[in-house]
Amino acid sequence: MVKRSAFHPVTALLFSVLLTATVQAAVLPGNPVISRRAAAESMALLKNRNSTLPLIPADRVAAFGHGAVDFIGGGWGSGHVKTEYNANLNEALARQAEAGRIRYCPEAADAWGGDSKFRPDAAFVNHIRKQADTAVLVISRCSGESKDRSPGAGDWLLTVEEQELLQLLKKAKFRKLIVVLNTAGPVSTSELTDDAVDAILYASLPGMEGAHAAADLLTGTINPSGKLTDTWAVAYEDYPSSKDFIRTADFQEYEEDIFVGYRYFSTFDKEKHKVNFPFGHGLSYTMFEIAAPALSRENDTLVFRVPVTNIGDRSGREVVQLYVSAPQGKLGKPAMELAAFGKTRDLSPGERQELTLRVPLAQLASFDDTGRSGHEGCRVLEAGDYRFFPGNSSWDAIMHSPVLFRQEKLQIIFRASARLKPSLLPRRLTADGSREALPVIRATAEKTVEIPHDRAIEIEAENFTAAHPNTGIEKFGNQGRRELRCVSRMDHRGRFVEYTLTVRQPGRYAIRFRVSNGRPALQDIMTCEVNGIVQPLRLDVPSTGNGPVRGEWYNFITLAPVTMKLPRGEVKLKLISNGTFINLDSFTIAPAQQSDVLFAAFDREHSRIPLPGFHKRERRFPPNGKIVYGTLRRYPEQLDAFLEQMSDDDLAQLLGGHAGSSHGSAGSLGACDVFEIPPYDTFDGPSGVRSFDSCTSWPCPALLAGSFDPELAETIGAALAREARLNRFDIWLAPGVNIHRNPLCGRNFEYLSEDPLLSGQMGAALARGAASENIAVTVKHFAANNREHRRFQTDSRISERALRDIYLRPFEIIVKEARPLFLMSSYNLLSGRKTAETPELLTGILRDEWKFTGTILSDWGNNSDHVYETLAGNTVKMERGNPAALLEAMRHGELTRGHLKRAAGYLVKSLLQVQLMREKQIKPAPDILPSPPEAGKLK
Ligand code: BMA
């Protein structure tokens, strides 16, 4: 927990005056100062040839590049925070000059201030060179929701203009050439590794005060102690996921499996040819000696005591990272995995601190998804030697001699009750570099269908023998115990399904397609081929309107028959989308000359099952009067009676969210007048309170994680929460803890790292901090939301081991350690299924295995179905629900009142907690962090 120092009485007084006098103020006084300090604690100094940095008072500095005047504080989308100002480096360096730490020549940067497209020539650079001997080149890149970054110029690569400027600066022979990377994540650094570039500071997207933080580091006012949370490869193509990240397919095969980030490079790039800056890297202006740890064991936890000494001549902080190299066993392991980390306090030269790092044995286990260890579906700790390496980066650690822990025999740590095997991932990478074939379970027919000559036969659309890889299959209901499924996602020209038929009697056959189309009428929806020959027919589909149960996409109608000639023997019938496909449930084939009679008989036999009647429950008030929401605070045991008195309609309404309110909320929950449940506002922004008012913007989470300092993250969570409270919000839609699988994912800046332990522990700290100041958190996006391109369609195909050991891990850590009240599912599909509709994920893993008792929200406006979300265990559909669909589903027996009550129960319990949090006083801001030597541009 955060150690809170007592408030200075003056601070407390000032705070209470501010609170009462300016309760509308959006920015909590003091927060920008904490934001600045947090950014400085997190930025990583990547390179520092010949101790170029810190700058000294004699250095005559000039800043170049558009980024110097338009420094980017944060990303766009729901991660964007409105701020009153965003400090820029030009201004920040000028401040440092005023304080006498450098001399500064603003003329260079000012040129970009006047013209953002300014393109300097040699004459301009040489002119500046006469006044300055130190050049700071700023390279800025933004990023945001719904769009991925690009591997090309202007994003991963430098633009032509930037290259030109870099060359001019190199040629002008400044005494010091420093590059500041103000980027949303890793970029190519291959043009920056030569000796002409003396130093590189990774400033990331550091919030409104970040430019001041960068300047604090450049001048050594603060000694850098941040580390990289991702691997910075030499070329984008060196990342194993680059093979399928940038492509138009609506799926991604996570073939690299558990070898994500440094797990891949440490295993397969031992010569270090493919990495410029490794995971965990970050320099300091002093030196530390990390001595061999002493290992002891406390029950099922290994305890490492690591002595760290500052052997340099400046005070500073160091991050100790403890990596484990596990025995290969039967399952195979990456060469290195982060097992624990800790950060020293500010150590004076010569000072020593012993850090205690704890590694629960369970954390070292791997999930056996195929039974190689003999324990399929279990997390197992394999026997053998576990070697632990302490160090200050993933590269440095391997140079230290390891501490050994021997596990005598295999131990089963946990047995899964839910399974989430991929059905469409054909192979995965193993530790020896080979590919292991995985069982691909395709929902296709293996056999050909025999076409009778004397009766009609119905072929379920999903029983194809071949299909375009992006073709989908969706469940849309049950008929008795049989699942009703249809072919979907045929809305692109060229997507197809193919059926193999055996025709004994050649001739003309009539075919009737059963389709749905919720949009306006469509013409010529598909091309039909018989053994590769296009059939001369045209299929038009009227609008089929909204269905009784599942809305527009599942209200199937049977089209008028079309005929085609089928030859004898094996026949391939291929249905190819003309780009406007609809959902296809089934089709029926009958010999053309008898088709009317055969279809009529077929329809009688196969008429759909009658739907059960609908009995709307009377609203039953308990004999002693109505129980309102407020009553539950004193009598929580009345929850069941409270829910029981609600009508089906009340329950269905409660399970949908409400649109955002005037002050900038992202949407609200609750708001049921009859039972006096007030609305509770959610708000966005992992980097600050996203409101209509200006608020404090913080270092983006990917940067903050670089502090490797959970205590700092807790401080930020708390400071942000106090500001949220001031702005009358309740539920924070953060932290997001998806893994950085590929550096170009547009939302990586909102997430934390390529490493699950760091993501989980820093995410848990943010969550604890927010909760300590009475703001509820929402962990998101569950799960595997690792690409923004076509984010509603993209299917993450992941082995169950990689899913559980890498992608779900941060969520598991946060759910178990920080007990968040809310969790949000994702837009993407997971192994062909919509996450919000997957019971194994929401109920099996999250609720049953991890014991999550909070509220599960679907992501805003996703394309999942409210009925299926509820069946899967989702609690509230955001931003709005579909109560009518829930009620219809009850009428048809698909959902029960029990389903609605269960979800409402989870919601009401969470909201009661939020209510208690709401009633707590906003605490004055404690003096947690020392102020930097001079405050930023505080208003
Ligand atoms: C969606 C997602 C969520 C966000 C929500 C509410 O688009 O991006 O991360 O919390 O909107 O704004």
Side-chain angles (χ1 to χ4, degrees):
M1 295 295 288
V2 175
K3 279 180 242 93
R4 298 189 193 288
S5 52
F7 305 132
H8 191 282
V10 180
T11 317
L13 178 69
L14 177 72
F15 190 86
S16 60
V17 170
L18 277 167
L19 249 189
T20 38
T22 59
V23 84
Q24 295 305 322
V27 173
L28 190 63
N31 272 359
V33 179
I34 307 177
S35 176
R36 173 174 176 168
R37 181 72 199 206
E41 295 282 328
S42 309
M43 292 176 182
L45 179 62
L46 303 187
K47 178 178 176 184
N48 193 16
R49 282 185 72 243
N50 306 326
S51 301
T52 296
L53 292 175
L55 299 174
I56 52 170
D59 287 333
R60 290 177 296 135
V61 185
F64 293 82
H66 179 236
V69 286
D70 204 1
F71 206 72
I72 303 174
W76 71 71
S78 57
H80 176 258
V81 179
K82 189 174 160 198
T83 51
E84 234 176 276
Y85 63 90
N86 205 27
N88 67 55
L89 202 65
N90 192 24
E91 175 184 299
L93 289 170
R95 290 285 183 90
Q96 298 286 338
E98 281 164 25
R101 294 186 197 110
I102 51 171
R103 286 193 279 161
Y104 186 60
C105 151
E107 189 183 336
D110 283 349
W112 276 271
D115 169 12
S116 64
K117 297 221 166 20
F118 176 64
R119 204 167 169 171
D121 54 13
F124 177 82
V125 172
N126 290 332
H127 164 69
I128 300 291
R129 175 67 187 88
K130 288 192 189 111
Q131 307 162 56
D133 58 9
T134 299
V136 176
L137 170 62
V138 185
I139 293 168
S140 293
R141 301 281 187 269
C142 201
S143 172
E145 181 177 357
S146 82
K147 190 169 184 285
D148 288 315
R149 295 178 46 202
S150 119
D155 202 337
W156 174 264
L157 300 174
L158 296 181
T159 59
V160 174
E161 293 78 11
E162 285 165 341
Q163 277 176 10
E164 249 174 47
L165 177 56
L166 179 65
Q167 289 315 318
L168 288 174
L169 295 176
K170 284 182 180 177
K171 277 204 200 108
K173 298 223 174 317
F174 282 88
R175 213 165 42 79
K176 296 180 175 183
L177 174 53
I178 298 150
V179 176
V180 173
L181 297 174
N182 170 215
T183 60
V187 289
S188 169
T189 45
S190 293
E191 277 147 309
L192 309 177
T193 46
D194 65 5
D195 285 354
V197 173
D198 298 293
I200 307 175
L201 177 69
Y202 175 47
S204 184
L205 305 184
M208 63 199 281
E209 283 284 330
H212 289 297
D216 288 337
L217 296 176
L218 293 176
T219 56
T221 313
I222 295 175
N223 193 349
S225 63
K227 307 283 176 182
L228 291 181
T229 66
D230 294 314
T231 304
W232 288 47
V234 171
Y236 168 70
E237 292 68 30
D238 290 328
Y239 294 99
S241 58
S242 61
K243 288 182 195 63
D244 73 347
F245 188 78
I246 306 281
R247 57 173 193 170
T248 47
D250 276 348
F251 63 90
Q252 289 184 275
E253 292 176 347
Y254 286 43
E255 197 179 299
E256 74 283 359
D257 209 50
I258 53 169
F259 299 97
V260 181
Y262 70 89
R263 283 171 167 73
Y264 173 83
F265 294 101
S266 64
T267 311
F268 302 110
D269 178 39
K270 295 222 158 41
E271 295 75 31
K272 305 185 168 97
H273 291 322
K274 294 184 171 176
V275 174
N276 279 343
F277 301 108
F279 173 86
H281 170 73
L283 303 170
S284 166
Y285 298 144
T286 184
M287 298 269 288
F288 295 92
E289 187 183 73
I290 299 175
L295 168 63
S296 59
R297 188 169 169 168
E298 285 172 14
N299 303 318
D300 283 338
T301 299
L302 303 178
V303 182
F304 297 83
R305 295 204 162 75
V306 197
V308 188
T309 313
N310 182 345
I311 54 168
D313 52 11
R314 277 170 173 264
S315 63
R317 301 182 72 191
E318 181 60 300
V319 173
V320 176
Q321 303 157 46
L322 185 67
Y323 291 87
V324 61
S325 183
Q328 286 303 314
K330 297 234 169 66
L331 299 179
K333 282 281 202 175
M336 304 270 277
E337 288 179 277
L338 186 67
F341 59 89
K343 193 163 184 172
T344 66
R345 60 176 182 268
D346 198 44
L347 297 179
S348 313
E351 198 182 345
R352 177 176 180 273
Q353 184 184 354
E354 190 178 81
L355 290 178
T356 303
L357 306 182
R358 294 175 181 277
V359 183
L361 285 177
Q363 192 192 295
L364 304 174
S366 306
F367 191 79
D368 181 359
D369 52 1
T370 55
R372 271 174 175 253
S373 73
H375 303 280
E376 192 184 333
C378 294
R379 193 165 262 160
V380 293
L381 184 66
E382 292 204 83
D385 288 342
Y386 290 76
R387 294 177 307 141
F388 290 86
F389 299 87
N392 65 7
S393 79
S394 54
W395 275 5
D396 173 68
I398 203 77
M399 328 267 271
H400 290 243
S401 32
V403 178
L404 205 79
F405 165 74
R406 176 160 298 157
Q407 172 72 15
E408 294 299 343
K409 57 178 199 300
L410 180 143
Q411 190 183 335
I412 297 179
I413 300 289
F414 149 86
R415 202 177 288 278
S417 57
R419 299 303 304 275
L420 258 175
K421 286 191 179 199
S423 53
L424 296 162
L425 179 68
R427 68 193 82 78
R428 65 168 163 202
L429 181 61
T430 64
D432 65 8
S434 63
R435 300 285 188 281
E436 175 189 5
L438 291 173
V440 173
I441 314 157
R442 291 215 56 147
T444 58
E446 278 166 17
K447 288 199 202 116
T448 69
V449 184
E450 175 120 14
I451 304 300
H453 67 277
D454 54 355
R455 65 195 155 80
I457 182 167
E458 184 180 29
I459 299 173
E460 289 296 341
E462 66 272 21
N463 286 339
F464 47 78
T465 43
H468 185 279
N470 286 351
T471 300
I473 296 176
E474 273 174 28
K475 183 180 157 194
F476 66 93
N478 291 307
Q479 191 173 40
R481 298 181 62 186
R482 191 169 72 92
E483 279 190 352
L484 297 175
R485 299 194 294 173
C486 63
V487 162
S488 65
R489 293 162 69 200
M490 294 276 280
D491 49 348
H492 279 61
R493 181 177 292 277
R495 292 196 184 170
F496 66 90
V497 273
E498 188 177 270
Y499 304 85
T500 310
L501 318 175
T502 304
V503 180
R504 303 253 175 249
Q505 193 144 318
R508 279 203 97 68
Y509 284 81
I511 307 189
R512 289 190 320 175
F513 293 95
R514 209 175 131 73
V515 299
S516 72
N517 166 34
R519 304 279 152 85
L522 294 170
Q523 265 104 50
D524 199 13
I525 56 165
M526 64 178 165
T527 304
C528 300
E529 284 180 5
V530 171
N531 288 347
I533 299 165
V534 175
Q535 300 298 300
L537 56 87
R538 173 189 159 117
L539 280 161
D540 299 338
V541 187
S543 169
T544 62
N546 277 334
V549 178
R550 301 210 48 215
E552 57 184 15
W553 294 110
Y554 309 98
N555 191 30
F556 291 98
I557 59 161
T558 305
L559 301 181
V562 289
T563 61
M564 54 185 91
K565 239 176 163 171
L566 300 180
R568 186 189 310 277
E570 190 175 277
V571 171
K572 299 279 186 205
L573 173 64
K574 191 170 181 181
L575 312 178
I576 309 160
S577 167
N578 288 346
T580 55
F581 211 93
I582 31 57
N583 281 348
L584 176 62
D585 180 21
S586 63
F587 54 95
T588 315
I589 305 185
Q593 57 288 28
Q594 311 163 36
S595 60
D596 283 354
V597 121
L598 291 178
F599 281 146
F602 179 88
D603 290 346
R604 265 196 309 282
E605 271 169 49
H606 290 77
S607 60
R608 303 261 153 177
I609 47 160
L611 300 167
F614 173 64
H615 307 287
K616 190 172 164 101
R617 289 244 181 166
E618 286 297 298
R619 181 174 288 159
R620 286 196 274 123
F621 292 110
N624 54 347
K626 181 161 126 183
I627 307 170
V628 292
Y629 176 69
T631 321
L632 296 176
R633 295 190 45 193
R634 290 182 62 203
Y635 305 104
E637 68 284 358
Q638 297 217 18
L639 177 64
D640 199 57
F642 174 77
L643 297 173
E644 194 46 43
Q645 64 186 345
M646 295 178 101
S647 69
D648 296 341
D649 190 45
D650 295 328
L651 290 169
Q653 297 287 347
L654 193 60
L655 299 184
H658 313 281
S661 64
S662 53
H663 70 305
S665 129
S668 61
L669 300 168
C672 170
D673 289 349
V674 184
F675 293 96
E676 297 174 18
I677 307 178
Y680 294 90
D681 276 323
T682 66
F683 67 101
D684 258 316
S687 319
V689 179
R690 178 170 162 78
S691 155
F692 290 157
D693 291 320
S694 300
C695 289
T696 305
S697 87
W698 302 88
C700 70
L703 174 61
L704 194 58
S707 70
F708 277 67
D709 185 351
E711 204 170 292
L712 176 71
E714 211 171 311
T715 303
I716 303 311
L720 190 149
R722 283 192 294 275
E723 194 165 297
R725 215 5 108 226
L726 187 69
N727 284 277
R728 292 164 288 124
F729 289 117
D730 296 296
I731 302 162
W732 188 26
L733 300 175
V737 288
N738 293 85
I739 291 292
H740 295 175
R741 174 186 180 233
N742 183 285
L744 301 184
C745 170
R747 295 191 89 165
N748 275 358
F749 75 100
E750 294 187 51
Y751 304 145
L752 284 82
S753 167
E754 66 185 22
D755 179 76
L757 182 83
L758 182 66
S759 301
Q761 294 197 352
M762 294 297 283
L766 282 166
R768 276 196 305 270
S772 74
E773 292 291 347
N774 300 306
I775 287 288
V777 301
T778 311
V779 190
K780 68 188 189 186
H781 302 93
F782 196 57
N785 187 69
N786 304 315
R787 186 172 80 158
E788 288 299 292
H789 175 70
R790 286 180 58 79
R791 59 185 179 154
F792 293 99
Q793 284 84 16
T794 194
D795 179 12
S796 303
R797 297 178 179 172
I798 314 178
S799 81
E800 193 177 5
R801 177 177 178 190
L803 184 67
R804 286 181 178 266
D805 286 355
I806 306 283
Y807 295 97
L808 297 187
R809 217 4 122 66
F811 292 95
E812 182 175 3
I813 293 173
I814 299 177
V815 165
K816 290 180 176 170
E817 288 186 10
R819 306 213 161 271
L821 282 175
F822 297 86
L823 175 139
M824 189 193 297
S825 58
S826 56
Y827 285 142
N828 60 287
L829 286 87
L830 178 58
S831 292
R833 298 162 76 188
K834 294 171 182 169
T835 55
E837 294 182 1
T838 304
E840 291 85 348
L841 187 66
L842 304 188
T843 301
I845 292 182
L846 183 62
R847 292 235 189 261
D848 298 344
E849 291 183 5
W850 300 351
K851 312 285 176 231
F852 177 72
T853 53
T855 285
I856 307 173
L857 306 176
S858 57
D859 198 352
W860 274 232
N862 71 6
N863 61 359
S864 299
D865 181 283
H866 200 169
V867 173
Y868 279 92
E869 287 183 0
T870 310
L871 282 170
N874 182 64
T875 319
V876 181
K877 184 163 185 64
M878 297 302 287
E879 178 180 13
R880 285 197 178 82
N882 189 348
L886 295 182
L887 295 173
E888 283 293 336
M890 283 183 71
R891 231 173 270 160
H892 292 91
E894 257 193 306
L895 272 184
T896 64
R897 183 175 158 85
H899 285 113
L900 267 51
K901 264 181 65 184
R902 185 183 60 182
Y906 280 122
L907 175 66
V908 172
K909 275 196 205 168
S910 308
L911 294 184
L912 281 165
Q913 298 269 352
V914 177
Q915 177 63 34
L916 294 179
M917 294 165 106
R918 185 188 266 190
E919 288 166 15
K920 301 246 174 77
Q921 286 290 313
I922 308 174
K923 294 177 211 152
D927 281 338
I928 299 165
L929 292 166
S931 300
E934 94 212 46
K937 188 177 164 186
L938 290 178
K939 300 218 165 160

